[in-house]
């Protein structure tokens, strides 16, 4: 029954949030039926719509894992946006440096650099939590702003490509260091495949290994974990670093597959949407996959909604915010609904 509860309650929260958002649309004189019809058409209605949606899924998968992995230890880390920015920056810098190397080796070094930088950045949050008692939610949010400012400072300063006039960027990557598309019939880069694979691997780690079991014990009751001599400190730092490495991979694919350089386009809110992805998925790496596809479809529809219904582009963000608030409120329902309680 707990697994059934973990599916029904988030789904109910999603539906309730969309109903509240529908009331918001009616108050603006807009039709909810027209809105959701356009969302379906732009996000899932045609092959081009699916291509537009799937191209946004990869960073949401990685950003969701950045939240979900520490959450198994009871940590609320919301700074994935900063790790995405720094991971992409590290990948771009290493890519320019390794331009003369064979493409496969260069791509590997870029991915490794992005994962190391992202892992170190978010891992620092776990370190501060264990060694200094700093609240991880506050520190991760503040460090996200620091990371974005640091990326902008470097891109607009010492590592700026002089040829990038209107939009400061690092030097463009050579074609040999650009990630191509998967052979699935639509133009979607390999970040999607790697993201799905990472979700599966993380699920195995959390649900099928002793390390994952130890993390769940520590997340449920940290004092009980300490009594059992579990390495709580190493688990916290390790899982936060692993989450940061996932966010760093998101930045890597954004640079190598989309932008071709590091610039302000790395900061588009994927890290923050990833928070909603992880919470809707109940921090289950496998459930992150369909949830990321759903929210990517919502984001892909924002332009069409803006043009057809004369609504601001931020309307989708309003919908996501309402759903997130309702989702947080739904946390109080766990363990209290008699339908889900076993009979003895």
């Amino acid at each position: 029954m707990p697994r059934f509860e973990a599916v029904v309650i988030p789904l109910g929260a999603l539906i309730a949030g969309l109903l509240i958002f529908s009331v918001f649309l009616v108050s603006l004189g807009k039709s909810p039926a027209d809105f959701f019809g356009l969302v379906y058409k732009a996000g899932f209605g045609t092959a081009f719509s699916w291509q537009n949606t799937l191209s946004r899924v990869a960073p949401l998968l990685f950003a969701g894992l950045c939240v979900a992995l520490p959450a198994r230890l009871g940590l609320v880390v919301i700074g994935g946006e900063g790790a995405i920015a720094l991971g992409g920056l590290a990948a771009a810098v290493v890519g320019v440096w390794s331009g003369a190397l064979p493409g496969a080796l260069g791509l590997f070094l870029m991915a490794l650099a992005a994962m190391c930088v992202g892992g170190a950045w978010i891992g620092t949050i776990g370190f501060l939590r264990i060694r200094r008692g700093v609240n991880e939610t506050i520190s991760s949010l503040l460090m996200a702003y620091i990371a974005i400012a640091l990326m902008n400072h470097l891109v607009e300063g010492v590592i700026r490509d002089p040829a990038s006039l209107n939009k400061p960027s690092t030097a463009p990557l050579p074609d040999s260091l650009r990630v191509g598309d998967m052979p699935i019939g639509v133009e979607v880069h390999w970040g999607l495949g790697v993201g799905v694979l990472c979700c599966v691997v993380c699920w195995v780690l959390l649900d099928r290994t002793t390390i994952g079991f130890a993390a769940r014990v520590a997340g449920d009751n940290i004092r009980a974990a300490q009594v059992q001599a579990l390495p709580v400190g190493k688990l916290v730092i390790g899982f936060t670093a692993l989450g940061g490495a996932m966010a760093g991979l998101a930045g890597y694919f954004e640079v190598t597959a989309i932008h071709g350089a590091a610039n302000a386009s790395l900061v588009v809110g994927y890290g923050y949407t990833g928070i909603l992805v992880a919470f809707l998925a109940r921090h289950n790496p496998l459930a992150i996959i369909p949830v990321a596809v759903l929210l990517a479809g919502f984001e892909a529809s924002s332009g069409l909604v803006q043009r057809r219904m004369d609504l601001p582009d931020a309307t989708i963000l309003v919908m996501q915010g309402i759903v997130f608030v309702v989702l947080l409120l739904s946390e109080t329902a766990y363990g209290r609904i008699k339908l889900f309680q076993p009979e003895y």
Side-chain angles (χ1 to χ4, degrees), residues 201-214:
V201 171
C202 288
W203 176 79
V204 172
L205 173 66
L206 291 173
D207 284 36
R208 294 295 185 269
T209 67
T210 55
I211 295 176
F213 177 75

Side-chain angles (χ1 to χ4, degrees), residues 55-56 59 178-179 181 189 250 252-261 265 270:
S55 65
R56 290 170 163 81
R178 299 297 301 273
V179 172
D181 295 330
H189 61 78
Y252 162 77
F253 280 109
E254 286 296 291
V255 166
T256 58
I258 305 297
H259 305 297
S265 295
Y270 285 129

